[in-house]
Amino acid sequence: MKIQNYDNHKKFYPPHHFIYLPLLAILQIIGIWKIFSDEVNQLSWILFSTVIFLIIYLALMVRQHYALGNQDRIVRLEFKQRYFEIFGKRSDEVENQLNFGQISALRFAYDEEFKILIEKALNEKISGDEIKKSITKWRPDHHRI
């Protein structure tokens, strides 16, 4: 497996991202094109395009909503556990000062860098993306979808 870093940490699900969604996009383009080129069946093509749009919308929203909502909760829980292991105290006060992007980014830092970056995030209000770019030794997360 390739060593994970900032440039390659995003993950794709090939059947969804490279087959299902592109196929729906092609059908949507065909439907819109046919609305203007097939005047006899224009109403049918409007209905077809509307249905395809709704399928695309549902496919994106449902998949993202459930999977990412659950993963976000797990990332927060991992942050709480890790903070407790490193500092020996609850993270409630610190967690309330950080946004999810910052908490999520901190999981890619090993413990020594975690300590430094959490201080920077609290004091300098650096973004999650800035935290990720600041990490010198990337701690991979191969389990996030």
Side-chain angles (χ1 to χ4, degrees):
M1 187 175 280
K2 201 174 186 184
I3 293 176
Q4 192 180 83
N5 58 40
Y6 176 77
D7 294 325
N8 69 3
H9 76 287
K10 294 179 182 176
K11 189 173 178 182
F12 295 100
Y13 180 58
H16 181 80
H17 290 102
F18 304 120
I19 298 171
Y20 182 68
L21 290 179
L23 182 61
L24 286 175
I26 290 167
L27 290 173
Q28 184 69 16
I29 291 166
I30 290 169
I32 292 170
W33 176 67
K34 285 291 205 174
I35 288 170
F36 298 103
S37 66
D38 185 3
E39 292 181 18
V40 175
N41 298 310
Q42 188 175 37
L43 192 57
S44 296
W45 287 111
I46 290 172
L47 179 61
F48 175 84
S49 294
T50 303
V51 169
I52 295 297
F53 172 79
L54 292 174
I55 291 170
I56 292 170
Y57 178 78
L58 286 173
L60 293 173
M61 294 301 109
V62 170
R63 179 186 182 277
Q64 295 300 102
H65 176 72
Y66 291 117
L68 294 180
N70 189 39
Q71 287 182 134
D72 291 352
R73 292 185 68 167
I74 292 168
V75 167
R76 286 185 179 280
L77 182 60
E78 288 172 346
F79 173 83
K80 288 176 181 251
Q81 178 67 31
R82 189 167 182 209
Y83 187 89
F84 183 79
E85 289 173 1
I86 292 172
F87 295 105
K89 56 185 178 181
R90 293 177 60 96
S91 66
D92 297 339
E93 186 179 316
V94 170
E95 185 184 5
N96 290 335
Q97 295 177 46
L98 300 173
N99 62 46
F100 181 76
Q102 293 168 310
I103 290 171
S104 176
L106 285 165
R107 77 184 190 281
F108 294 112
Y110 282 98
D111 291 349
E112 288 305 313
E113 237 177 338
F114 179 88
K115 294 175 187 176
I116 295 166
L117 291 172
I118 203 165
E119 289 300 319
K120 278 180 99 173
L122 291 169
N123 298 330
E124 300 173 26
K125 309 288 187 221
I126 61 173
S127 70
D129 199 51
E130 292 174 63
I131 291 171
K132 289 179 187 178
K133 289 177 181 175
S134 299
I135 296 171
T136 55
K137 187 175 180 204
W138 194 267
R139 181 175 167 241
D141 177 2
H142 297 293
H143 303 292
R144 186 159 169 94
I145 295 174

